[in-house]
Structures are given as structure tokens and as C-alpha cells.
Amino acid sequence: MTDNIKRIVIKLGSSVILKENGEPNSACLKALVQEMAELRRNKELIIVTSGAIGIGKTLLGVSRPKDLSEKQALAAVGQAHLIQIYENLFSQYGIKVGQVLLTREDLQGRHRYLNARNTFLSLLEHGVVPVINENDTVAVDEIKFGDNDTLSAIVASKMDADLLVILSDIEGVYRDPDKREKGVIREVVDDVANIEESATGSSGKSRFGTGGITTKIEAAKIMMSSGVPMVVARGDHPHILARIITEFSGAKTTGTWFISSKKMASRKRWIAFNAEIKGSVTIDEGAAKALKEDGKSLLPSGIKDVQGSFEQGDAVSVKDSAGREIAKGVVNYAADEVKKIAGKKTADIEQALGRKDYDEVIHRDNLVIL
Ligand code: GLU
């Protein structure tokens, strides 16, 4: 049966990689790699893996790292071992893996994002399975994704994947996390916000991972806006990946599926989730309505105030008069220029700046309503 999945991102959480005692869960990994090797026959596969810090703890006999640098050291040791595990398991099927360690910055500027994307495409063209983790050894708070659920969602959306699979030690999103017998929500279409609260009960955290269910919901939000389906399921279920692939275009009986009815273009995804925001513009009510309800571009006349210093081509946040962020977009003019034309009519741009390259400060194609 054809399933229309060409590119799939699979995230393996720490609780899939490690057993309770902190040793790598070889049996589970072996089974998953066997399934992934099978999928690789007619799909491109990208893995996002956790477990580096967990394995590092076991290898160095550290149960609680005392500070950030010790945690980073554990990640360095654990990551080396982790990639070896993948390499060994995949080599049995004649498949090569490539290690990619990322920080948030690497996917942020349009230039760097395109560079990273090209590297992934080149790996995939060579038939290599990219194995990604956060670069925990150098990542500090400011440049962190923070958790691999978010990382996997950003990768899946940027790489135009057809499906993101998040494997963990939870069955999916429970109807009532404190009463798991009530079962799992099978399908969420568009409305993630609605389940957000009910999903995060006291037992929402999983064994080793950073985020538990909270970060999975965050990942689901990214995927919803990207229009790419995502499923959260247990990594240790037999034939889990085969089941997921079968269910992709049919009835859902495994995990929790997040499905969006709309699709955002990849440029807009970049603006919404990854562009570094260099400043903001505050707009009046009329402009806010024109943007939100009528899908219009942002013209100088609606702008009341400008904050920060940004250049033409930078991403900025668009705020309403109450200071709420209502959109993000890429500006056609630098901050000092926007200051000069704020409140003015389009016809007056040339007089104010001595030139007029664009009518709009942010064109609607470069604007994402939040
Ligand atoms: N990057 C971390 C590691 O490999 C895991 C982060 C997470 O659990 O989300 O240890």
C-alpha cells in the first residue's frame, strides 16, 4: 500500500534509548533500527535522538551533574557512545549515519538555516540517515532549543517532512493524565490549545527526558502551523513504526495524532518559529484589523511606534496598541526608516526617505499572523 510519505522525522526520547538502570536499551533500539531500515527502502529518514546526557551519566558514574559544565561533559561522552550505537545497528543493513549537532542559532538566520538545510539534503541524497541531537556540549541557555521535542518539530517543519513521529515512554496524550485508565486521545485536529491544559497532569513527566508532555504539545503547535502531521507514541511497542505508517492515511488506533487542516509555506514557518526577532512595530487598531481579518500587508500609515534596531530583511514582531504580539514579519525598511514613515501615507514615503522601494513596510507574503 502506498502511504505518500516521502520524508519522515523520527524522534527517540531518552526513555526509549535508556533502560531504567541507565544502560542503553539495546533490544528496543535494535527493533526500532530494524524497522527504520525497512522504512528507508522507500523513504528519506531523519532521526532526532536524545539520550546523550543519560548515557554520559552511566558511563562516568555521575547521577546528578553538579553544574552546567559537568552536564556538558556528560553530553560529550554520551553523544560519542550514542552515535556509535546507531552506527553499529544501521551498518547491519548497509546504511550509513551522519551525526548533526545543532543549536538554535544554526537554524535561525535565513542564511544559516538554508545552509543547514542543504547539508541535510546532501546527506539524504547520499542515502545517509542524519542523526541529530542538540549540541549540548556547547549550548547554553541563550542558544538552546532546550528539548528535543521542539528540535524535532523545527527540523521536521524546515525539512518539509511528511510526518513527525515522537517516540517516548508514554502511550500518547492521556484524557486524564492522573487516571491513565481513561485512555488516550487518538486524534487532535487543529485544536491543540484545547487539550493543552488537560494533558499536563501531575504525571505528565517521563523518566529521563527534559520535557514530558508539555514539550510534546509545544512541538504539536509547531507542526500544526506547519501543516505536517505528528504522532506521539510508545517506542517499545512491537512494530510501532509499521503501525504508524499504516495508520497515517487510515483509522488511528496507536498513540496520539496531531493533524492540521492547513499548510503554511516554509518561508512563513521560518518567520513564525525560527527567525531571530530584531525589534518590533506597534500598530493601530485599524491596521491590526486589516492584517488579522483581511489578510492585508502592513503599510506605514498604520504604524504608531518602532522599537529596536533592525535592518531591511530582518524579522520583527508586530504588536497591537495593547502591546500584544499579533504577528511576525520581515520588514522592507530599516528601523530608522520606519520611524520616518510611521503614520504616513504610502504616497509620502518617497518624500520622507528620498526613495520608495516598497509600498508596504511588511508585505503580507512575509507576514505571519499569530
Ligand atoms: N539533548 C538531550 C540529550 O541528548 C536530551 C534533551 C531531551 O530530552 O529533550 O541528552
Side-chain angles (χ1 to χ4, degrees):
M1 198 180 83
T2 56
D3 49 50
N4 290 325
I5 303 175
K6 284 193 223 64
R7 186 174 293 161
I8 177 167
V9 176
I10 302 176
K11 185 253 172 176
L12 281 72
S14 298
S15 51
V16 175
I17 309 281
L18 300 165
K19 294 189 287 195
E20 300 254 5
N21 66 4
E23 300 280 338
N25 191 343
S26 313
C28 182
L29 288 171
K30 207 169 155 196
L32 285 172
V33 169
Q34 185 182 7
E35 281 208 279
M36 291 195 265
E38 186 62 37
L39 291 183
R40 229 289 315 251
R41 292 155 74 110
N42 60 6
K43 300 182 199 322
E44 291 173 336
L45 190 70
I46 298 175
I47 297 176
V48 175
T49 186
S50 299
I53 296 174
I55 293 181
K57 282 182 183 170
T58 307
L59 289 176
L60 296 187
V62 174
S63 55
R64 259 168 201 273
K66 60 178 185 304
D67 53 22
L68 179 66
S69 42
E70 185 164 42
K71 209 169 168 186
Q72 295 185 316
L74 295 174
V77 174
Q79 181 62 34
H81 194 76
L82 186 60
I83 197 70
Q84 263 182 51
I85 295 178
Y86 283 103
E87 202 168 54
N88 286 339
L89 290 172
F90 273 106
S91 71
Q92 289 165 28
Y93 303 92
I95 298 172
K96 294 198 173 48
V97 298
Q99 170 176 278
V100 185
L101 300 178
L102 295 172
T103 60
R104 193 177 268 277
E105 281 180 328
D106 297 323
L107 297 179
Q108 230 161 19
R110 182 126 182 111
H111 178 72
R112 292 184 75 167
Y113 146 56
L114 288 174
N115 183 44
R117 185 183 154 92
N118 287 337
T119 309
F120 282 120
L121 292 177
S122 178
L123 285 167
L124 294 172
E125 257 166 43
H126 282 90
V128 173
V129 174
V131 177
I132 306 171
N133 194 356
E134 172 138 41
N135 196 350
D136 294 306
T137 301
V138 297
V140 288
D141 279 346
E142 303 80 71
I143 57 166
K144 250 182 190 245
F145 292 101
D147 69 90
N148 280 2
D149 294 325
T150 309
L151 171 61
S152 67
I154 292 174
V155 168
S157 95
K158 285 186 172 301
M159 290 307 296
D160 299 312
D162 302 298
L163 175 66
L164 168 63
V165 178
I166 294 192
L167 297 177
S168 147
D169 61 348
I170 52 168
E171 207 73 46
V173 180
Y174 293 97
R175 287 202 173 79
D176 180 347
D178 297 320
K179 293 201 189 89
R180 293 194 173 192
E181 62 282 5
K182 287 193 174 169
V184 158
I185 303 170
R186 278 294 164 230
E187 220 171 331
V188 181
V189 181
D190 291 330
D191 201 6
V192 205
N194 213 8
I195 64 155
E196 194 166 4
E197 221 165 282
S198 60
T200 47
S202 54
S203 49
K205 289 249 167 207
S206 58
R207 263 189 297 131
F208 299 96
T210 308
I213 199 65
T214 317
T215 52
K216 291 176 182 57
I217 303 273
E218 285 309 310
K221 286 187 194 163
I222 296 176
M223 299 322 288
M224 285 284 182
S225 318
S226 313
V228 180
M230 157 179 150
V231 55
V232 176
R234 275 189 78 110
D236 61 356
H237 269 333
H239 311 296
I240 183 66
L241 292 173
R243 284 167 63 170
I244 286 172
I245 300 298
T246 311
E247 290 182 16
F248 179 73
S249 36
K252 318 284 190 243
T253 59
T254 305
T256 299
W257 290 75
F258 295 87
I259 293 158
S260 154
S261 51
K262 54 185 184 292
K263 186 152 174 75
M264 207 191 260
S266 61
R267 178 163 176 74
K268 291 211 173 190
R269 285 205 298 268
W270 174 78
I271 296 170
F273 301 116
N274 275 91
E276 193 183 339
I277 300 300
K278 292 283 175 62
S280 59
V281 291
T282 305
I283 63 175
D284 64 24
E285 256 167 59
K289 182 175 169 296
L291 259 50
K292 282 200 296 201
E293 289 167 29
D294 310 326
K296 292 277 190 327
S297 297
L298 178 63
L299 301 175
S301 55
I303 298 178
K304 288 175 23 177
D305 201 5
V306 181
Q307 299 87 24
S309 61
F310 46 84
E311 298 298 322
Q312 178 189 5
D314 280 344
V316 303
S317 161
V318 179
K319 296 184 173 161
D320 66 11
S321 42
R324 281 182 301 248
E325 182 177 57
I326 58 164
K328 286 182 190 174
V330 172
V331 282
N332 285 332
Y333 292 99
D336 51 351
E337 294 171 326
V338 180
K339 277 183 194 145
K340 287 185 195 146
I341 58 177
K344 293 208 158 66
K345 291 203 170 59
T346 304
D348 298 332
I349 296 179
E350 183 152 15
Q351 207 201 354
L353 297 182
R355 66 188 172 89
K356 183 177 84 164
D357 297 335
Y358 303 91
D359 285 349
E360 318 82 14
V361 172
I362 302 176
H363 191 273
R364 62 192 159 91
D365 289 349
N366 293 327
L367 188 72
V368 184
I369 305 299
L370 301 171

